[in-house]
């Protein structure tokens, strides 16, 4: 079997899909995208395609090595996101050709289901208690929310109290056992992060995500000494080398590699195995589309230290299309009681509605995240 073509589709709300076709007609799908940089990643996929076309799609490890190492410059979000989408599509082809789900090829399942959480609120969260109660009524046992909008290096107690009040309202409404994760989104500088983490401690959060930017890794170690709440990070780290320092320095309790950015399914499986040796949990980042979610589930079902899975159903970014809209079978993700149950469908376990994808790609999208500024005009983290 040989790969004969790679075809890209930029579709709403902010996704990029890749269709990889083998010479026997077998098709694999991947999701190579950086949110807000879809065209840039598409160009990288096209530049990598000569390494892939004409090769056996079963040679996934070697193709990863060639794509990652054959160029003098390596790594970074653009190249590893392009590699990730291609790699996902190769696993989809491999599974379909063998009649097996990807998790079976990677060593078999370790669980029947994986718990998922829903996003509530937007970039400037409001009325989170009502949103969380709605998700609980739908059967979910956990939610995640942005902790705050933009913050300055030193900011007001009013903003701190507002952030804490939103969390307190959810805890009061849904009790002590409902999971609440708070994403600081790298928007918070370490002084304010320390304040917020102390004030949020009584609400027994599931985890705090990206308390500061990952570039400030030394601050993670300091912040971790100030809280018993688990710290999570990793959505902006790429390949096992990008996670090595996080793990060896012991700065996080949960790592969150994104299978569309970190190198694909097998690379994240290697990252998860590294994390297991440090007694660190894995909760893959996935605010993207159905291919990304399907790939993440394949990882989760075969990874013992995977604890919970992000998914984008109903997320505030999804304007114009949602997680299930490009699938032939919208029930393929078997949601029950706050979890998604595994199935035995081959490859990534989904069938893409190609006609719908092509229709959406004819319109495309130009999604960009907003540019925020503090009150005095300085650019702030989004």
């Amino acid at each position: 079997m040989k790969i004969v073509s790679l075809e890209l589709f930029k579709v709403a709300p902010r996704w990029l899909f890749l269709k990889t076709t083998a010479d026997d007609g077998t098709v694999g799908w991947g999701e190579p995208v950086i949110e807000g940089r879809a065209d840039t990643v598409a160009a990288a996929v096209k530049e990598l395609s000569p390494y892939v076309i004409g090769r056996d799609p079963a040679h996934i490890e070697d193709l990863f090595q060639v794509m990652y190492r054959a160029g003098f410059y390596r790594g970074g979000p653009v190249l590893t996101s392009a590699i990730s989408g291609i790699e996902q599509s190769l696993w989809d082809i491999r599974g379909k050709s063998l009649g097996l789900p990807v998790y079976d090829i990677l060593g078999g399942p370790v669980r029947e289901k994986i718990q998922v959480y829903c996003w509530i609120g937007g970039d400037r969260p409001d009325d989170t208690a009502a949103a969380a109660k709605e998700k609980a009524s739908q059967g979910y046992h956990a939610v995640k929310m942005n902790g705050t909008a933009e913050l300055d290096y030193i900011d007001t107690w009013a903003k701190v109290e507002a952030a804490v009040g939103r969390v307190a309202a959810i805890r009061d409404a849904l009790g002590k056992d409902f999971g609440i994760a708070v994403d600081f989104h790298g928007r918070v500088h370490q002084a304010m992060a320390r304040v917020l983490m102390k004030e949020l401690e009584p609400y027994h959060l599931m985890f705090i995500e990206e308390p500061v930017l990952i570039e400030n890794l030394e601050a993670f170690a300091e912040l971790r000494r100030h809280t018993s709440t688990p710290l999570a990070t990793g959505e902006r780290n790429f390949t096992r080398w990008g996670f090595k320092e996080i793990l060896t320095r012991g700065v996080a309790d949960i790592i969150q590699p994104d299978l569309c950015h970190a190198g694909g399914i097998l690379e994240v499986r290697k990252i998860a195995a590294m994390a297991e040796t440090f007694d660190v949990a894995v909760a893959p980042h996935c605010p993207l589309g159905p291919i990304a979610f399907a790939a993440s589930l394949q990882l989760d079902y075969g990874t013992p230290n995977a604890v919970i899975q992000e998914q984008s159903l109903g997320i505030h970014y999804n304007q114009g299309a949602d997680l299930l809209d490009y699938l032939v079978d919208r029930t393929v993700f078997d949601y029950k009681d706050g979890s998604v149950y595994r199935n035995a469908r081959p490859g990534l376990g989904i069938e893409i509605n190609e006609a719908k994808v092509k229709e959406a790609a004819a319109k495309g999208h130009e999604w960009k995240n907003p540019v925020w500024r503090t009150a005095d005009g300085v650019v702030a983290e989004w």
Side-chain angles (χ1 to χ4, degrees):
M1 187 186 295
K2 304 293 182 185
I3 299 165
V4 295
S5 67
L6 282 74
E7 189 175 1
L8 291 159
F9 305 92
K10 191 168 69 165
V11 300
R14 55 179 191 159
W15 304 333
L16 182 69
F17 292 170
L18 169 67
K19 176 188 175 185
T20 300
T21 304
D23 57 4
D24 69 347
T26 307
V27 168
W29 289 88
E31 200 165 330
V33 68
I34 297 170
E35 301 89 308
R37 298 289 186 268
D39 292 330
T40 310
V41 179
V45 171
K46 291 172 185 175
E47 286 189 332
L48 289 169
S49 63
Y51 296 114
V52 179
I53 291 175
R55 293 291 309 277
D56 187 333
H59 295 178
I60 298 171
E61 177 66 48
D62 185 67
L63 282 164
F64 175 91
Q65 295 287 328
V66 169
M67 289 188 289
Y68 185 74
R69 296 172 59 194
F72 183 78
Y73 296 98
R74 61 183 66 176
V78 174
L79 288 174
T80 54
S81 296
I83 291 169
S84 297
I86 295 170
E87 196 260 12
Q88 292 167 9
S89 72
L90 298 177
W91 279 110
D92 198 22
I93 290 173
R94 185 62 173 156
K96 289 172 179 174
S97 67
L98 295 174
L100 294 171
V102 170
Y103 63 76
D104 258 348
I105 310 170
L106 289 174
V110 298
R111 57 169 51 86
E112 295 293 324
K113 60 182 180 178
I114 185 76
Q115 186 181 9
V116 295
Y117 62 81
C118 280
W119 268 89
I120 58 170
D123 287 328
R124 290 181 166 89
D126 192 23
D127 201 12
T128 51
K133 287 171 70 175
E134 179 184 3
K135 298 302 182 186
S137 71
Q138 295 168 0
Y140 294 99
H141 301 298
V143 296
K144 187 169 82 174
M145 56 182 282
N146 280 319
T148 181
E150 67 272 26
L151 286 182
D152 215 330
Y153 281 84
I154 304 297
D155 220 313
T156 66
W157 270 102
K159 289 184 181 179
V160 172
E161 290 171 347
V164 173
R166 289 188 288 268
V167 174
I170 299 172
R171 184 60 72 216
D172 290 345
L174 294 171
K176 64 183 178 64
D177 291 324
F178 191 80
I180 306 171
V182 176
D183 189 355
F184 285 11
H185 218 250
R187 297 170 179 170
V188 184
H189 300 283
Q190 61 177 314
M192 296 307 298
R194 192 162 58 245
V195 172
L196 276 167
M197 289 164 67
K198 179 173 184 266
E199 297 300 313
L200 288 168
E201 187 93 14
Y203 300 100
H204 308 296
L205 300 179
M206 189 166 56
F207 58 82
I208 289 173
E209 181 174 336
E210 281 201 315
V212 293
L213 287 171
I214 192 62
E215 295 97 302
N216 302 320
L217 190 62
E218 68 285 348
F220 275 79
E222 177 64 23
L223 291 170
R224 199 162 177 241
R225 286 192 280 269
H226 286 270
T227 185
S228 63
T229 303
L231 297 189
T233 193
E235 69 184 70
R236 291 189 256 197
N237 292 79
F238 319 108
T239 77
R240 73 203 90 149
W241 293 280
F243 283 86
K244 181 168 66 172
E245 190 174 9
I246 291 175
L247 294 169
T248 56
R249 291 180 62 172
V251 299
D253 305 284
I254 303 167
I255 57 166
Q256 300 170 299
D258 190 311
L259 278 78
C260 289
H261 306 322
I265 295 171
L266 183 56
E267 186 66 9
V268 175
R269 185 64 189 90
K270 293 175 182 179
I271 292 165
M274 287 170 54
E276 190 179 3
T277 69
F278 288 90
D279 202 26
V280 170
V282 178
H285 180 253
C286 188
L288 291 166
I291 306 167
F293 187 43
S296 298
L297 291 173
Q298 296 296 322
L299 175 93
D300 295 328
Y301 295 144
T303 301
N305 54 329
V307 291
I308 197 166
Q309 178 59 57
E310 182 175 24
Q311 50 92 54
S312 69
L313 190 62
I315 197 171
H316 51 289
Y317 304 123
N318 291 357
Q319 303 295 321
D322 211 335
L323 179 65
L324 307 177
D325 290 351
Y326 296 108
L327 299 176
V328 172
D329 180 1
R330 294 170 59 93
T331 68
V332 64
F333 301 130
D334 188 11
Y335 287 92
K336 290 179 186 174
D337 194 29
S339 295
V340 174
Y341 284 73
R342 70 179 165 86
N343 63 59
R345 300 186 188 202
L348 296 182
I350 57 173
E351 183 180 355
I352 294 294
N353 185 336
E354 190 169 340
K356 180 70 180 278
V357 168
K358 289 180 175 178
E359 178 185 348
K363 301 174 184 175
H365 68 81
E366 296 298 331
W367 188 90
K368 295 287 186 289
N369 61 256
V371 177
W372 284 0
R373 296 181 182 272
T374 57
D376 57 358
V378 176
V379 171
E381 300 296 333
W382 168 69

